Amino acid sequence: RPPEPKIARSSRARRTFNRRFMENPYYYLKVGKADELNNRKERRIFRFFEMLPGLCSWLTLILMVVVSWQWPVVAAIFIIVFDTYWLIKTTYFSWHAAYSFKKVREHLKKNWLVELKNLSKESYNININDWRDVYHLVIFPMVDESYAIVSSTFEALSSANYPLDRFIVVLATEERAQDKIQSTIDKVKKEYGRNFKHFLITVHPKDIEGEIAGKGANETWAARQAKKLIIDQLNIPYEHILVSTFDIDTVVPNDYFGCLTYHFLTAKNPLRSSYQPVPLFTNNIWEAPALARVISFSSTFFQLIQQSRPEKMTTFSSHSMPLKALVDVDFWQTNVVSEDSRIFWQCFLYYNGDWEVVPLFYPVSMDANVDVSFSKTMVNQYKQQRRWAYGALDIAYTFFGFIKNKKIPFKKKCVYGFFLFDGFYSWAVTSILIFFLGWLPIVLGGPKFSFNILSFYLPKMTSYVLTVANIGIITCAVLNFWFLPPRPPYYGKWRYLLFVLQWILTPINLIFFGSIPALDAQTRLLLKKYMGFWVTPKYRKLEITQEKAGS
């Protein structure tokens, strides 16, 4: 197993550590950034890959301006081709979203515990006697969230339509927040601790050298404690345990673990797969401002699309995977920000490309980003999107891993590498190109281009593409209503109208809460301004009312 890296304070100690670290053939699985590599050549390669997404994105935007100014005809032709491509792609995305939506509805109608009981042993793709032998290690990382949020999470878990004696539940807390949350911990332990076969509260120590204080470090500490204090003591085979990591605000439907276990037993390769539900940011969606709702539903819309394209999926936010794989790769990295997607690439590299994501077509719900005021909510939205976009660091990690691991087929490296890079590159530049590129040749091309027939058709073509591309917005709007939780009694029916009108804010969302935070994150990597983990504040209506009254 790869050793856990710790950044030594002195240069001599750092060199000694890196020499030991790099003697392990899997040392590259634990690299968080270029500076952690002692070998100068490898450090430069990793650093180049860190810079690559930012370089490509900014080069694209600069060329967009230069070509529109110097060669407006070439720019106009490119725009027409580009717009046509995205028109086709929008239709393609909408079809995938509709298909996934249909599958989600079908899966929600099933009683998955009954499905498990009716599943023959011959259908199992894992050496296990009975589905009841599958245990679930469920980890909830927590910082300083309120009892209202934590209790709703444990209330839902306690109602699971699955034997509760097969649960090992961990409330993973942080030492730095103990004084603030001690009363919440005591209440949760008293009210819900006895509902499960095993309930463990862990305290992740603060200021561990080499760690980024965040979700990955907390999860790793919690999983190791559960393994040491419970799993190893009971001699439960690692192959029989599924680990689910959920944000503390995650409300899990009662049939989720039945659905998860069913897919685990019937997956093509159960022990070489992650299991990804559909994230819904709807727990407090009625309390969110319109723009925050659009951002939240856009994230769900994208994940719906990915569910029907498993060959392009990586793990995101809440997900599940076998404990055996986690032990093999030595758990999540503690020195990265985006541990949820990084764990996919860790396993992909460790198992020589033999790793995939199994879509569950089943939802779990979390909180939309809401704060005490609209301005704070928007700032938090931007920071959250930037943190997600900082996952572009996975490009450097994965491309460097492709160089080090010669056993992964070259074709698979090319396919997965392209999808990974294209995802972050498109995130940063596509919206800007769509909304601005169609007008630049006209503005910058000068009088000569003004008399060209392309100057007449270019705005019309761009307008037509944007109009037809509304099929994606319409699809989002329709799915939005189906995923809404029941309307609270203190909101009138007129509020449904706002859920329709809110979609006119889509251009603002795509540019200011899509491309710009992605460019921000990539520019920080380009300039070597590494980010730490930013914890999203979580509020519910009662808390917001109380805070406003107090202020």
Side-chain angles (χ1 to χ4, degrees):
R1 301 172 195 159
E4 183 68 20
K6 295 183 179 180
I7 311 304
R9 297 190 183 279
S10 70
S11 58
R12 181 177 179 181
R14 180 176 176 271
R15 288 194 299 270
T16 302
F17 162 74
N18 275 281
R19 188 163 54 250
R20 293 197 308 269
F21 179 59
M22 295 177 68
E23 287 174 357
N24 188 295
Y26 291 106
Y27 72 92
Y28 61 89
L29 293 183
K30 288 294 186 176
V31 176
K33 55 187 178 183
D35 287 349
E36 294 176 7
L37 290 165
N38 192 50
N39 182 283
R40 180 178 298 179
K41 181 181 178 181
E42 292 188 337
R43 188 165 64 249
R44 287 177 175 175
I45 293 173
F46 199 99
R47 179 70 192 125
F48 170 75
F49 288 141
E50 287 180 345
M51 298 168 63
L52 187 61
L55 284 173
C56 291
S57 295
W58 279 112
L59 183 61
T60 299
L61 297 180
I62 292 170
L63 284 176
M64 177 180 75
V65 175
V66 173
V67 174
S68 298
W69 173 35
Q70 295 292 330
W71 304 282
V73 174
V74 175
I77 294 173
F78 170 77
I79 293 164
I80 292 172
V81 174
F82 180 80
D83 285 349
T84 303
Y85 165 73
W86 271 99
L87 178 62
I88 297 171
K89 198 163 186 176
T90 300
T91 306
Y92 168 79
F93 282 164
S94 298
W95 183 88
H96 275 284
Y99 172 80
S100 296
F101 171 72
K102 180 182 176 183
K103 294 280 289 184
V104 169
R105 293 193 65 178
E106 291 174 355
H107 282 200
L108 282 172
K109 292 177 181 178
K110 292 184 179 181
N111 185 320
W112 286 97
L113 190 62
V114 173
E115 296 287 332
L116 272 176
K117 292 177 179 178
N118 293 336
L119 187 65
S120 64
K121 186 178 178 181
E122 289 72 23
S123 301
Y124 296 175
N125 288 330
I126 186 172
N127 186 19
I128 199 169
N129 292 323
D130 188 80
W131 65 267
R132 294 177 183 82
D133 293 334
V134 177
Y135 285 79
H136 291 277
L137 172 58
V138 187
I139 301 175
F140 293 102
M142 175 186 178
V143 182
D144 58 1
E145 291 80 8
S146 68
Y147 176 75
I149 292 174
V150 180
S151 63
S152 63
T153 296
F154 278 90
E155 191 69 37
L157 188 63
S158 299
S159 303
N161 185 27
Y162 196 89
L164 297 183
D165 62 352
R166 288 297 179 265
F167 282 90
I168 303 169
V169 180
V170 183
L171 179 60
T173 68
E174 294 279 4
E175 181 186 5
R176 66 181 188 270
Q178 284 298 296
D179 293 341
K180 189 174 181 179
I181 63 173
Q182 191 57 55
S183 61
T184 296
I185 295 173
D186 294 339
K187 287 182 182 178
V188 170
K189 182 177 180 181
K190 180 179 179 181
E191 296 191 24
Y192 302 103
R194 297 180 181 178
N195 293 353
F196 314 103
K197 181 69 173 179
H198 303 282
F199 182 75
L200 178 66
I201 296 174
T202 61
V203 181
H204 174 236
K206 62 182 178 180
D207 301 327
I208 295 180
E209 192 174 30
E211 285 191 351
I212 291 178
K215 185 179 174 183
N218 193 355
E219 287 174 342
T220 294
W221 181 270
R224 285 174 173 161
Q225 291 295 304
K227 173 181 172 295
K228 175 183 176 181
L229 301 176
I230 298 176
I231 296 168
D232 289 345
Q233 296 294 325
L234 298 175
N235 292 320
I236 305 174
Y238 299 160
E239 294 83 356
H240 294 184
I241 301 175
L242 279 170
V243 182
S244 297
T245 57
F246 297 131
D247 290 347
I248 194 60
D249 60 329
T250 305
V251 175
V252 182
N254 59 2
D255 268 328
Y256 173 80
F257 289 98
C259 178
L260 170 61
T261 307
Y262 184 95
H263 282 79
F264 172 62
L265 294 176
T266 59
K268 181 180 178 181
N269 198 342
L271 297 177
R272 299 286 174 89
S273 302
S274 296
Y275 303 86
Q276 181 66 55
V278 179
L280 304 180
F281 301 92
T282 55
N283 288 346
N284 58 343
I285 198 67
W286 290 94
E287 304 163 16
L291 187 52
R293 294 197 298 266
V294 172
I295 298 169
S296 297
F297 280 118
S298 296
S299 300
T300 295
F301 182 70
F302 176 76
Q303 292 301 320
L304 268 177
I305 294 170
Q306 296 297 83
Q307 288 278 313
S308 58
R309 306 189 303 168
E311 73 282 357
K312 300 179 181 181
M313 286 183 71
T314 58
T315 44
F316 171 77
S317 188
S318 302
H319 63 274
S320 306
M321 60 185 297
L323 177 62
K324 176 64 167 61
L326 273 177
V327 172
D328 285 348
V329 300
D330 197 32
F331 302 94
W332 300 271
Q333 282 188 252
T334 61
N335 54 344
V336 297
V337 173
S338 302
E339 90 299 328
D340 51 356
S341 58
R342 179 60 63 88
I343 191 63
F344 171 85
W345 296 112
Q346 278 182 255
C347 294
F348 188 89
L349 293 172
Y350 182 86
Y351 291 115
N352 304 321
D354 186 18
W355 191 266
E356 63 181 2
V357 177
V358 175
L360 296 183
F361 294 102
Y362 204 85
V364 295
S365 63
M366 293 168 281
D367 283 18
N369 206 325
V370 179
D371 211 310
V372 294
S373 66
F374 176 77
S375 60
K376 287 186 176 181
T377 298
M378 292 301 101
V379 169
N380 291 346
Q381 286 283 7
Y382 182 90
K383 289 181 177 180
Q384 184 182 63
Q385 294 294 322
R386 184 178 62 187
R387 190 190 75 198
W388 290 351
Y390 193 70
L393 188 55
D394 287 347
I395 293 173
Y397 174 84
T398 304
F399 285 12
F400 182 76
F402 285 168
I403 293 174
K404 301 302 294 181
N405 190 326
K406 309 298 183 183
K407 296 181 181 179
I408 302 175
F410 179 74
K411 181 179 179 181
K412 180 168 281 192
K413 289 180 181 179
C414 292
V415 171
Y416 275 82
F418 172 78
F419 287 144
L420 174 62
F421 184 84
D422 177 65
F424 286 102
Y425 172 76
S426 299
W427 189 348
V429 304
T430 297
S431 299
I432 296 176
L433 293 179
I434 289 175
F435 287 102
F436 294 106
L437 190 58
W439 308 101
L440 275 179
I442 298 171
V443 175
L444 303 177
K448 186 177 181 180
F449 181 71
S450 299
F451 292 102
N452 193 301
I453 192 172
L454 284 174
S455 68
F456 175 77
Y457 283 108
L458 186 58
K460 291 181 178 292
M461 178 68 179
T462 302
S463 177
Y464 175 74
V465 168
L466 292 177
T467 301
V468 176
N470 284 332
I471 185 173
I473 298 176
I474 294 171
T475 304
C476 276
V478 172
L479 300 184
N480 151 53
F481 277 100
W482 194 86
F483 285 126
L484 282 176
R487 175 176 56 86
Y490 43 82
Y491 289 122
K493 293 183 179 180
W494 60 269
R495 201 170 181 86
Y496 283 113
L497 179 62
L498 297 179
F499 278 80
V500 176
L501 299 177
Q502 68 187 22
W503 292 101
I504 64 175
L505 300 172
T506 298
I508 297 175
N509 167 37
L510 293 178
I511 295 173
F512 294 99
F513 297 96
S515 289
I516 292 180
L519 272 175
D520 186 347
Q522 292 178 17
T523 304
R524 289 169 183 267
L525 282 174
L526 176 63
L527 301 177
K528 209 174 181 181
K529 303 293 185 182
Y530 298 117
M531 289 174 55
F533 189 91
W534 179 78
V535 180
T536 306
K538 295 178 174 63
Y539 293 91
R540 299 284 172 85
K541 184 176 179 61
L542 179 60
E543 294 175 291
I544 294 175
T545 303
Q546 291 173 342
E547 186 157 336
K548 284 183 176 179
S551 61

